[in-house]
């Protein structure tokens, strides 16, 4: 692997907590596919990990609840012909998934007032369109 996969800041995925599984891929590779285990399945026990701060962990468990099986999140990669590249892809995918799941919630939107000038311009335009349409209902327009 190319080193620790950083989630955010100084928090990274601990290699000891990653569970790898390999199987035959259905992706590109011709006859090579039938003989080599290039598909990668990467599992990370989110419920039992100590690598994440408690707040992040709770946030990730809540956000990824639909993807978890007994507190374990699973990511697959089989788009490359080599197992090594699929391992890289799976690790990057897991790190970005966890980064997204542990991100702080967005700030609440602060409601703003519409400026008076914009509102007046909209009403003027509306009145002008109404006049145009009203003018079409006279004689000669059938």
């Amino acid at each position: 692997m190319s080193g620790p996969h950083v989630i955010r800041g100084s928090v990274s995925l601990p290699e000891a907590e990653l569970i790898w599984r390999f199987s035959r891929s259905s992706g590109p590779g011709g006859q090579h596919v039938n003989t080599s285990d290039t598909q990668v399945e990467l599992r990370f026990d989110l419920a039992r990990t100590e690598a994440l701060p408690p707040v992040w962990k709770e946030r990730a468990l809540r956000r990824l609840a639909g993807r978890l099986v007994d507190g374990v999140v699973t990511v697959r990669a089989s788009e490359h012909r080599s197992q090594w590249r699929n391992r890289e892809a799976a690790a990057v995918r897991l790190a970005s998934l966890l980064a997204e799941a542990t991100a702080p919630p967005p700030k609440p939107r602060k409601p703003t007032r519409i400026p008076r000038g914009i509102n007046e311009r909209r009403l003027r335009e509306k009145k002008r369109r109404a006049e145009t349409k009203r003018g079409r209902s006279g004689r000669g327009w059938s």
Side-chain angles (χ1 to χ4, degrees), residues 22-113:
F22 309 101
S23 59
R24 293 200 176 114
S25 177
S26 62
Q31 292 176 352
H32 170 73
V33 163
N34 303 328
T35 59
S36 57
D37 294 338
T38 56
Q39 178 174 290
V40 173
E41 184 179 283
L42 176 58
R43 306 173 109 219
F44 181 68
D45 196 343
L46 189 58
R48 292 185 187 87
T49 187
E50 295 297 322
L52 299 176
V55 176
W56 287 17
K57 185 172 160 180
E58 182 254 310
R59 196 181 294 154
L61 285 169
R62 194 172 356 97
R63 288 183 181 167
L64 297 175
R67 279 193 73 146
L68 298 176
V69 178
D70 296 329
V72 178
V73 65
T74 305
V75 174
R76 276 200 185 94
S78 62
E79 59 267 12
H80 301 290
R81 286 182 63 169
S82 97
Q83 186 187 96
W84 185 258
R85 288 179 66 193
N86 281 331
R87 283 176 64 122
E88 285 290 321
V92 167
R93 202 171 294 158
L94 179 65
S96 67
L97 180 73
L98 289 174
E100 193 176 306
T102 59
K107 290 181 182 175
R109 184 186 171 275
K110 187 175 164 185
T112 56
R113 284 184 55 230

